[in-house]
Amino acid sequence: MTAIGIIGSQGRMGQALVTAIAEAGHDHAGGADQGDDIAALIGASDVLVDFSSPAALHDTLAACVAANTPIVIGTTGLEEAHHFAIDQAAAKIPVLQTGNTSLGVNMLAALVEQAANKLGDDWDIEIVEMHHRHKVDAPSGTAKLLGEAAANGRGIDLGAHSESGRDGITGARAKGAIGFAALRGGSVAGDHSVILASDEERIELIHRAENRMIFARGAVKAAAWLLGQNAGRYGMDGVLGL
């Protein structure tokens, strides 16, 4: 039985994680939220799962490194400084960071990478995502994950080849670009479509999240897997054995 602590325990994902931990037969070590001292939680946990805010990540990573405690990071909206801090922590402890803990989404990413690799850049790639009205970041972490998969398949840098926020007279679509569109409304847990379109045919790869439990169950599976790993930075592909 693995003792799993939750950072961001009062949020919707935190509540789903409590259920997923019990379903998997692990021990819920407790939770911490903004302003809480996480030292006690870390002391009671074999591994942490973090779905809190990016602002808290630096302090959380420092505390995990000090206690030699592995951590799964599912927080989205991360910037370059956060990824630098994750890389530094991963030199000392196991860290799994992902824009989406769903097993299905990560299998989709593997398919997107394969398709992008096998099809030429005369196939346009567009990523469309929709989430509930309360989501604060766009494109979603999952959309970025899928964009990175497409870019990796083509052997290009996503930052230099992405297009988003089209409005007005934008000119023709750049050859080889990876496009993003973000939709917000209602209570949608998460819909993602990757469209590969040529002049005469189109492939659409789609994932729809029915509820947040898929993310919670994937995060718990990732936490149990991470506990047996050496220091390093990992993704969900390792959990899936891809």
Side-chain angles (χ1 to χ4, degrees):
M1 181 180 291
T2 301
I4 302 175
I6 304 170
I7 307 293
S9 62
Q10 296 303 311
R12 287 170 290 188
M13 271 304 303
Q15 296 169 36
L17 281 165
V18 172
T19 300
I21 289 169
E23 283 182 353
H26 297 304
D27 179 33
H28 176 215
D33 293 276
Q34 186 174 4
D36 293 341
D37 181 358
I38 66 171
L41 176 62
I42 291 177
S45 306
D46 296 321
V47 57
L48 293 182
V49 176
D50 184 2
F51 277 94
S52 62
S53 69
L57 185 58
H58 288 86
D59 289 342
T60 299
L61 286 171
C64 287
V65 168
N68 197 34
T69 301
I71 182 171
V72 174
I73 301 169
T75 302
T76 59
L78 302 183
E79 299 178 352
E80 185 176 350
H82 298 114
H83 288 288
F84 179 73
I86 291 170
D87 287 338
Q88 287 187 310
K92 300 177 180 178
I93 62 171
V95 181
L96 189 153
Q97 184 273 320
T98 178
N100 192 302
T101 53
S102 158
L103 301 182
V105 160
N106 284 279
M107 183 57 70
L108 172 62
L111 296 173
V112 169
E113 181 170 350
Q114 182 179 12
N117 177 260
K118 298 300 182 182
L119 300 173
D121 63 4
D122 54 329
W123 286 71
D124 300 323
I125 300 178
E126 291 286 313
I127 299 169
V128 182
E129 54 101 344
M130 182 170 183
H131 283 83
H132 53 87
R133 65 172 67 94
H134 302 292
K135 188 167 180 61
V136 298
D137 58 308
S140 68
T142 302
K144 292 177 182 177
L145 181 152
L146 295 171
E148 289 288 356
N152 289 341
R154 285 187 168 175
I156 60 176
D157 175 65
L158 178 62
H161 293 83
S162 64
E163 292 186 357
S164 61
R166 300 186 184 109
D167 183 51
I169 308 301
T170 61
R173 189 185 195 282
K175 183 178 176 64
I178 297 173
F180 292 88
L183 312 179
R184 296 290 178 267
S187 59
V188 179
D191 289 354
H192 293 85
S193 300
V194 180
I195 304 165
L196 300 99
S198 72
D199 288 340
E200 298 175 327
E201 55 187 327
R202 184 170 69 245
I203 299 170
E204 296 185 19
L205 302 171
I206 300 171
H207 179 274
R208 293 189 175 94
E210 302 297 341
N211 59 63
R212 290 180 182 82
M213 285 306 300
I214 64 169
F215 310 124
R217 293 188 182 106
V220 169
K221 187 176 182 69
W225 177 85
L226 189 64
L227 192 57
Q229 307 307 314
N230 295 322
R233 182 166 182 169
Y234 300 94
M236 290 296 292
D237 54 342
V239 181
L240 287 167
L242 297 174

